[in-house]
Amino acid sequence: MRVGIIGAGIGGLATAVGLQRAGVPVTVFERRDGAGDAGSGISLFGNGLAALDALGLGPAAREIGAVPGGIGPDTPAGQRRPDGRWLTRLPHSVQQTVAVVHRADLQRILLDALAPGTVHTGRPAQSVSVDGRTVDLAGGPETFDVVVAADGIGSRMRRDWPGDPGIRSAGYRAWRGVSAQPVDVTAGIGETVGRGLRFGIAPLADGRVYWFAVVSEPAGQPTGQPAGQPALDGPGPVLAAFGGWHRPIRDIVAATPPEAIRSLPIEELAGRLPTYRRGRCVLLGDAAHAMTPNLGQGGNQALEDAATLVALLTDPTIDGRDGRIDAAVAEYDRRRRPRTQRIARQAALLGRVLQARGPLTAWARDAALRFTPPAVAARGALAVQRWRPPAG
């Protein structure tokens, strides 16, 4: 079996690592000249870490995502008001289920785990044949036994998919950044919510802070706006919206290199795909189920996809009328589509609640957060993390 993977993001590289370690020849094609990732953070929850464990990468991910010594059980986590008063706090046991890592560090772990020459950069893919085996690539077509399309929310492969819903604006815009040096966040981590505004604080292992700022936009904004618009980048728009909020928000933004603060519209799939499989081509990660980041599950679901697909493709007990490989990719679709589409719906709903702009809706949101028992909030936070990789 020979596998071609389109896209050198987290999901594509994780799939390549798992297959290669199982002895499957893999080639990864990346349209960019380099396979680097954005300079922001990603929260690896229990399910994402379980997927990395199944791929043999769990210890390395936990090492770069260890909580720094200054953040312990006395550091509160949860959701606050702009003045710093707490709406809800999560038990420390919930904090222990997440490892916040820099995307570049996770990308490095994945790339280092691959054999030299696995990733071919500067080779964009234009289309895949109906049987899902031949990819039209810059430099000429190539044929594989399985093709994995992990080429992101704007997937070129998905555009030819039956029932592709396209993408739409979620109604808000985000800025993300990582401070250049440690910032004291022992007063609290998590999210702060206002009327149509949200700011998140998540410490990295070395004391630097990954942060995000979210601002609601008018409905119907056009999708596909290029990230990095000069008028929207940098600390100016962030401080204009959040500069008067509680400490250390202003300190965190000030500690971030201005050129590293980029704005982008938050987008999602405009509907549910009827299938993640077309012949022997499967969609993976954002190409299959691009969701809003409100549950922090985009990257974690891509890792689940990767671990599931690797286990199924390398499981010799799987068989079907059309052959083992066809049965494996059909089973991948059966397992992954319901879970990922359900989580995408939950993330979209949560985003509408957290981005409430009206005085009454924002008041109702804050009241609901304030009167939710911590144990109930913890169960909700942990529910989405319940996942086990298939035995392979």
Side-chain angles (χ1 to χ4, degrees), residues 14 18 56 89-90 97 99 102 108 122 124 129 137 156 186 225 234 358 387:
R89 297 195 194 193
L90 292 172
T97 66
H102 198 293
R108 173 181 50 79
S129 59
L137 291 153
R156 181 63 188 82
T186 53
Q225 299 178 64
W387 175 82

Side-chain angles (χ1 to χ4, degrees), residues 193-272:
V193 293
R195 289 175 52 184
L197 302 169
R198 204 170 4 141
F199 196 97
I201 299 172
L204 298 176
D206 58 6
R208 291 180 300 157
V209 178
Y210 162 55
W211 59 270
F212 59 86
V214 188
V215 176
S216 292
E217 293 186 316
Q221 286 284 103
T223 62
Q225 299 178 64
Q229 296 184 41
L232 295 173
D233 288 346
V238 180
L239 292 175
F242 302 94
W245 286 24
H246 66 77
R247 297 188 65 185
I249 288 176
R250 178 176 282 274
D251 297 337
I252 293 171
V253 176
T256 306
E259 67 277 7
I261 301 175
R262 299 295 181 88
S263 158
L264 74 162
I266 300 301
E267 299 171 332
E268 61 185 341
L269 282 192
R272 289 177 287 175

Side-chain angles (χ1 to χ4, degrees), residues 53 69 74 107 124 133 166-167 214 266 277 308 317 351 355 363:
D53 284 335
D74 295 331
Q107 192 96 357
R133 298 188 61 184
I167 59 177
V214 188
I266 300 301
R277 173 205 179 188
T308 300
T317 66
Q355 290 298 126
W363 177 88

